[in-house]
Amino acid sequence: MLYTYLGFFGFTFLVILYTTYKLRKDQFTTTKGYFLAGKSLTGPIIAGSMLLTNISTEHLIGMNGSSYKNGIIIIAWEVTSAIALVIAAIFFIPKFLKMGLSTIPEFLEKRFDSTIRSIVAFLLMSSFVITLLPIVLYSGAINIESVFDFSTMFSISKAQSLIYTVLVIGVIGSLYAVFGGLKAVAYSDSLNGIGLMLGGLLIPIIALLEIGNGDMFHGLSTVYNFAPDKFDIIGKPDSVLPFSVLFTGLMINQLYFWGMNQSIIQRAFGAKNLVEAQKGLIYTGVLKLFVPAIIVLPGLIAYYYFQDQYYDTPDLIYPLLVKKILPTYLYGLFAAVILGAVLSTFNSVLNSASTIFCLDIYKKIINKNASDTKLVKYGKLSSVILAVIAITVAPLVAYAPDGLYQLLQQLNGIFFIPISSIIIAGIFFKQINALAAKVGLFFGFTFYILTTFILKSDIHFVHLWGIEFVLNFIIMFTVSKLFPVKQFHPAMEAGIEEKSWPYVKITGITLIFLTILIYILLS
């Protein structure tokens, strides 16, 4: 147990010391310094922070459990991200940086009006704090408890142990977001990202070496030959993720998540310049092609070990595999990596939620003349309040542990698709006006809720995303035609056009080619 504690606290304190050292000369007294890291982030830091904001314990457990049960088809959630990141790097981020954006809702005001900005800001902030953050906290607490068994150590119930662990994780994560702003979040994420990649890769490497008697490639061949059907990347029409969804709603979801989601794209807003922002997005795309080795391959290996033994409880698979193959002296290091993944997502989303509150709600609605100093003050205060709400809600996740993650995936469609449709319309179609955008937003919410949760159609929810997206555009074009409004938006053209990274297109084309190649090789 000594090695477990040494590994855990050693890596955790390393991250704290590294982040403190990098921030030693910073003064977070301006909105740009606090919310946008002083516009100082470089490509590697942006990529590390984006990756760690995206990946947390629900990915390590949920996606590995899904690959164990459904096979490699769920890799689509990861590798298609590379295509979305390329599109965001070439088309979205140059426009956003030229406009000098701090938040995504700010774009909606500059393109349409202030009402739609306020509506979207409130929806985004609420969804972060009431849904995503509690899930991240609770799933992280389960993993930390499974390593250290605090309930036995302190002679308390499992439920009490989880509540205390949620509290500790929430407090630590809040400290990053509250006192260091985006820069502290980004630098801690980059080091945690290295830990996640190395620690996460240890699991499949050790397992494959064991299966292959010291030959990792022989081990992989053995796992493949044991269940070749699990490695067929083309999902059948009745599978959990049919291949056809790649051509309907999946890519729309990916475009939103990687190019318009505040908790992700805020790192690019904090870039030193457009070149570093584009590098960050492309580097993230490269990493996403390797991430399945951490959150998909272990599930396939687990099928070799356990077969259908845990088919009805796939979320148990990843912890079971870790305990089966990982040496006890590495438990602490692995627990620190898990904690890093939880903290990175928690503090990143918390920082984005407070950014949206201060810049899109407080400054626009409550106090339009608020100074930078007051905004930073309220940024810290709102982070504390939002963290308390998330920590309070987190234990309630225990009352719906089986279906909540899948439900939240479906709930994403309520927000992601309508918001992405009006942002894409705003960027590429000048004839769509503010009234049309509001109608499209309202229709998107109503259509998806009706077809998914009330009428319960037999259409896969990702296909519904695609249908909703097309219908949103038809409605927006129709409303704009029937109720024409002359709109001139000087903010859309304002700003200085920055020089793009010379290699963004060639590296982007290469990433898209590699993504297609993965599907060809595994089909």
Side-chain angles (χ1 to χ4, degrees), residues 221-275:
S221 177
T222 302
V223 172
Y224 172 80
N225 290 325
F226 181 78
D229 290 347
K230 292 281 185 183
F231 285 83
D232 186 357
I233 202 170
I234 306 300
K236 296 177 181 178
D238 60 347
S239 66
V240 69
L241 201 65
F243 180 67
S244 55
V245 300
L246 271 69
F247 308 99
T248 56
L250 184 60
M251 280 310 305
I252 299 166
N253 173 77
Q254 300 288 45
L255 282 174
Y256 174 84
F257 188 84
W258 292 105
M260 310 171 210
N261 183 356
Q262 180 68 30
S263 64
I264 294 291
I265 206 67
Q266 189 171 336
R267 281 103 197 89
F269 288 167
K272 188 180 294 185
N273 49 46
L274 176 58
V275 171

Side-chain angles (χ1 to χ4, degrees), residues 108-119:
L108 295 175
E109 179 179 31
K110 290 186 175 183
R111 174 59 177 86
F112 297 115
D113 61 28
S114 58
T115 302
I116 202 165
R117 173 181 184 173
S118 300
I119 294 170

Side-chain angles (χ1 to χ4, degrees), residues 141-183:
I142 290 174
N143 279 272
I144 300 299
E145 160 67 19
S146 70
V147 172
F148 293 106
D149 197 13
F150 292 131
S151 55
T152 302
M153 185 185 304
F154 296 108
S155 299
I156 56 178
S157 70
K158 187 77 72 175
Q160 287 176 311
S161 175
L162 289 173
I163 290 173
Y164 293 141
T165 307
V166 161
L167 181 61
V168 171
I169 294 173
V171 169
I172 295 173
S174 302
L175 291 176
Y176 284 110
V178 171
F179 293 107
L182 179 63
K183 195 167 186 179

Side-chain angles (χ1 to χ4, degrees), residues 277-345:
Q278 290 177 318
K279 284 181 180 178
L281 291 168
I282 295 296
Y283 293 165
T284 305
V286 173
L287 291 172
K288 290 298 284 185
L289 296 184
F290 291 95
V291 163
I294 297 173
I295 62 176
V296 176
L297 181 57
L300 299 170
I301 294 171
Y303 188 80
Y304 172 84
Y305 280 118
F306 304 111
Q307 289 82 56
D308 290 327
Q309 187 178 350
Y310 298 97
Y311 187 83
D312 293 327
T313 53
D315 286 348
L316 296 176
I317 279 298
Y318 192 67
L320 285 170
L321 181 66
V322 170
K323 288 183 178 180
K324 182 175 180 62
I325 60 97
L326 196 67
T328 53
Y329 60 83
L330 289 177
Y331 277 6
L333 177 62
F334 187 75
V337 168
I338 293 292
L339 178 64
V342 175
L343 290 178
S344 64
T345 302

